[in-house]
Amino acid sequence: MTRPTVAVLRPDDNRIAEAVRYLRSLNVSPVPDPMLTIEPTGQSPWHADYCIFTSKTGVDLAAADGWEQRETIVCAVGDQTATALRNHGYSVGVVPSSFSSTGLVDELSADIDGKTVELARSAHGSNVLIEGLNAAGAVVHETHLYHLRRPETAGHSLSHAVDGELDGILFTSPKTVDHFFQIASEYDAVAALQHELEETVVGAIGGPTERAVLENGSTVNVVPDTVSFTRLVEVTVDQIQRVQQ
């Protein structure tokens, strides 16, 4: 069986290196092309009755800044965020069974009327959480812990995609999708990209990432049942192998 070639677009920190190692362990040829760089704002979460973290990155930044939990009930959107919180010594009170903003609102809605809720995340989150929490009667404050920028080096995986050299591509966030298609637009290659992606196994973590791909005119072939990068890789590679048989 041919060794598959898969583009991986994780942030330009240790995550891209870990992704490359994992793909190689599965006998995959990775095309690493970081689509995100993290720019901390220097802000720290406010103290409230509840504090919601939506990513491992946000947790790491808050911990590095010395944020103390005190009496706050900490909430995590997803197991990876919850694990990061526990690794930093925080206790996690709420992890929704559905790893999404809507799932967390559903989990909290009966308990937060009149309570203060701090939302600690990137500067690029959707309004779903804020609107849902406000509708449930919470007093919501949002702190932007970091910005997500597009690295100057991003984009070489696009030529592989347009030339039909990719068997798969891994999207891990809506911002990653947006940056990838922005580069295609800048090179007037969106139509060619969409055409070639029809023959490429496209994997996306979670509903928001899947919707971002669809909104950019392409299809998604694989969405894992958890918001886990390793699981995304596994199901995408499995689908590639099925196609190659």
Side-chain angles (χ1 to χ4, degrees):
M1 185 176 293
T2 305
R3 182 172 176 150
T5 300
V6 177
V8 55
L9 314 177
R10 300 223 77 187
D12 61 352
D13 50 26
N14 64 320
R15 282 171 286 188
I16 193 71
E18 292 172 354
V20 167
R21 285 194 294 269
Y22 186 61
L23 285 162
R24 286 176 175 162
S25 76
L26 298 179
N27 199 34
V28 171
S29 295
V31 178
D33 189 10
M35 285 287 151
L36 298 175
T37 190
I38 310 297
E39 290 187 359
T41 63
Q43 297 187 61
S44 187
W46 285 22
H47 284 95
D49 296 317
Y50 293 80
C51 184
I52 298 171
F53 289 94
T54 63
S55 70
K56 178 182 181 298
T57 298
V59 173
D60 291 342
L61 290 173
D65 197 52
W67 183 75
E68 297 178 357
Q69 183 172 2
R70 300 179 188 173
E71 301 300 317
T72 298
I73 298 173
V74 170
C75 311
V77 179
D79 282 338
Q80 288 186 321
T81 305
T83 298
L85 284 160
R86 296 184 183 110
N87 287 344
H88 284 293
Y90 300 115
S91 63
V92 181
V94 178
V95 182
S97 54
S98 173
F99 297 155
S100 66
S101 297
T102 302
L104 183 58
V105 170
D106 291 343
E107 194 89 14
L108 293 175
S109 59
D111 303 312
I112 57 175
D113 187 16
K115 301 292 181 64
T116 55
V117 178
E118 167 70 341
L119 182 53
R121 60 179 184 175
S122 81
H124 311 283
S126 74
N127 289 327
V128 172
L129 263 177
I130 294 176
E131 292 172 355
L133 295 168
N134 282 331
V139 179
V140 183
H141 179 268
E142 181 178 18
T143 297
H144 295 157
L145 301 179
Y146 58 99
H147 293 277
L148 298 170
R149 307 296 189 196
R150 193 178 94 190
E152 293 182 3
T153 56
H156 68 267
S157 64
L158 178 66
S159 61
H160 289 271
V162 171
D163 291 341
E165 297 171 351
L166 294 181
D167 298 296
I169 185 166
L170 304 170
F171 290 111
T172 54
S173 71
K175 206 67 178 173
T176 297
V177 176
D178 291 342
H179 287 173
F180 185 75
F181 281 92
Q182 282 171 9
I183 295 170
S185 178
E186 291 165 10
Y187 284 91
D188 196 23
V190 173
L193 174 64
Q194 291 170 340
H195 175 73
E196 290 300 331
L197 288 184
E198 291 176 4
E199 304 299 323
T200 305
V201 176
V202 177
I205 284 184
T209 305
E210 180 184 18
R211 286 192 294 274
V213 175
L214 297 176
E215 288 168 359
N216 278 283
S218 292
T219 58
V220 175
N221 305 102
V222 173
V223 180
D225 51 3
T226 65
V227 286
S228 160
F229 177 73
T230 56
R231 184 62 182 152
L232 173 67
V233 173
E234 290 167 359
V235 295
T236 301
V237 171
D238 180 66
Q239 181 63 25
I240 291 170
Q241 291 170 344
R242 291 173 185 272
V243 171
Q244 291 182 343
Q245 286 179 350

